[in-house]
Amino acid sequence: MDFTPTEEQTAARGLAAQIFRDLATHERLAAAGTGTDTELWKELCAAGLTAAVEEIGLLGLVLLLEEQGRTTAQVPFAVTCAYGLLAIAEHGTDEQRERLLPPLRDGTAVATGAFPARDGLRADVEGRLSGSVPYVPWLRDATLVLAADADRVLWIVRTADPGVAVTPVETTAPWSAARLALDRAPGERLGGPAGRTGADTGADSATGTAAYGAVLAASHTAFAGLQAGVCAGSLARAVAHTTTREQFGRLLSTNQGVLLRAADAHMDTEAIRVTAYEAAWRHDKGLPYAAQALTAAWWASEAGKRVVHAGQHLHGGTGADLDHPVHRHFLWGRQLDAYLGCGSEVLEELGQLLVKEAS
């Protein structure tokens, strides 16, 4: 394994870091409230960073999302790339790629995903979907939703179509989330015919399930990369605070308990990062990576919440201030923990996968 970024990946990461650092300031984030920073989103798309993801691969996307996580920038970058650009590029038909990818590349379209598959979401023989998903990140911004039905078939749903209802939902992190309700809403099957019938072949079913698993693994990896950045940003703020703040005539960073807590947070952050890198690298090399994606998701969930708790704790009373920047990292870290499925759920899924692969 070699996780050394290519020249293209390095250049994209540097540009993303500069844009996020310049525009995702504490003042702008506070002004955005719980909504998306549309100016920042336009800047990212104009710089070609969304379009670049198809060239720099999943590992490149993880690197970019790390930079977003460091600043907790409020843009639908992860969902548009994981559920839109990469999903359609890898599993869509030629016609779907030609029609749907250009607006996703330039930011005039925003995608998100109604994942994981839910029993209550079903499609009829005409390809019309009914059911609801209680929480979809960045749905308020989305023009396209990649929805997984109960049979793990992937459907592209347009939020402006009849039968699609979007109800805003406030969560711990400001992700412009909403509840998705479908009432015989028209769906376009990703990589296949518009409708579905009882005559779907076994090959069609297997292909649909494989696409679902691939998109889910890619999203796990992408959001693990985002969590690595959130944790790195939280830890950087904690280090800056403890190396400048004095208590009883000495810097906080000279206390052994502070050093040990920060060291544990650093190791947890590195574990999230390296497991996300491995999963993304295997994806880009065409190697099986479902287990590695779940491993990255587990570390992002379990270790991620430890790190953001430590970051807030190391700020002492300052960390209890809801308006302090470190609190935003805490909220994002806990939201990512929940979105990835929580550690115990991810670990159970990983165990089932390993048993299946061994049998």
Side-chain angles (χ1 to χ4, degrees):
M1 292 181 291
D2 182 4
F3 303 149
T4 305
T6 64
E7 290 184 10
E8 292 80 7
Q9 290 170 340
T10 301
R13 178 171 62 178
L15 179 57
Q18 179 182 345
I19 293 174
F20 285 128
R21 184 172 56 249
D22 291 346
L23 294 183
T25 62
H26 175 58
E27 293 74 21
R28 286 178 60 88
L29 289 168
T34 61
T36 292
D37 187 334
T38 55
E39 182 180 339
L40 174 55
W41 177 240
K42 290 178 182 178
E43 187 70 23
L44 289 169
C45 296
L49 289 174
T50 47
V53 170
E54 293 174 77
E55 299 297 327
I56 62 179
L58 185 55
L59 180 56
L61 174 59
V62 166
L63 295 174
L64 300 186
L65 291 175
E66 271 194 89
E67 300 305 327
Q68 179 186 359
R70 290 179 198 276
T71 59
T72 60
Q74 293 169 202
V75 288
F77 195 29
V79 287
T80 293
C81 293
Y83 298 123
L85 281 163
L86 290 181
I88 294 170
E90 295 179 7
H91 306 289
T93 63
D94 290 340
E95 189 277 332
Q96 287 174 332
R97 287 191 286 268
E98 182 178 353
R99 172 168 47 88
L100 299 174
L101 289 178
L104 290 171
R105 292 176 185 135
D106 64 23
T108 54
V110 172
T112 188
F115 272 68
R118 299 179 183 275
D119 290 339
L121 194 62
R122 296 195 172 274
D124 62 21
V125 295
E126 298 177 346
R128 292 186 174 274
L129 284 79
S130 298
S132 64
V133 180
Y135 163 77
V136 179
W138 281 286
L139 179 57
R140 279 179 263 170
D141 300 325
T143 53
L144 302 175
V145 182
L146 187 63
D149 69 15
D151 297 320
R152 299 190 172 188
V153 175
L154 300 181
W155 301 88
I156 300 169
V157 177
R158 291 163 182 79
T159 55
D161 281 349
V164 180
V166 174
T167 306
V169 172
E170 296 300 336
T171 63
T172 54
W175 287 3
S176 296
R179 177 180 183 270
L180 177 68
L182 304 176
D183 183 10
R184 299 197 75 249
E188 177 182 352
R189 188 169 177 176
L190 181 66
R196 66 183 298 183
T197 69
D200 282 348
T201 66
D204 289 338
S205 177
T207 300
T209 301
Y212 168 79
V215 173
L216 185 60
S219 66
H220 277 152
T221 305
F223 278 95
L226 185 61
Q227 181 75 301
V230 169
C231 292
S234 174
L235 183 57
R237 292 188 181 279
V239 169
H241 176 78
T242 57
T243 54
T244 55
R245 179 81 170 182
E246 289 189 4
Q247 188 179 59
F248 305 117
R250 58 186 295 189
L251 292 173
L252 289 174
S253 59
T254 61
N255 293 305
Q256 188 177 38
V258 171
L259 291 171
L260 292 174
R261 190 79 186 273
D264 286 343
H266 171 72
M267 294 305 297
D268 274 339
T269 301
E270 288 302 300
I272 300 169
R273 177 181 289 116
V274 74
T275 52
Y277 284 6
E278 181 184 7
W281 177 84
R282 290 181 66 89
H283 167 275
D284 293 345
K285 292 295 182 181
L287 300 171
Y289 76 106
Q292 286 77 14
L294 285 171
T295 301
W298 181 82
W299 275 104
S301 177
E302 283 291 295
K305 61 186 174 186
R306 287 198 298 265
V307 174
V308 295
H309 272 267
Q312 187 158 336
H313 188 200
L314 289 174
H315 277 76
T318 306
D321 183 357
L322 301 185
D323 294 325
H324 194 280
V326 76
H327 187 66
R328 191 175 292 109
H329 290 269
F330 175 79
L331 296 179
W332 276 62
R334 291 312 308 259
Q335 188 64 50
L336 281 163
D337 164 41
Y339 184 66
L340 287 165
C342 297
S344 57
E345 296 177 6
V346 176
L347 194 61
E348 180 182 10
E349 189 175 351
L350 176 58
Q352 293 172 348
L353 176 63
L354 294 177
V355 169
K356 182 179 179 180
E357 290 180 347
S359 61

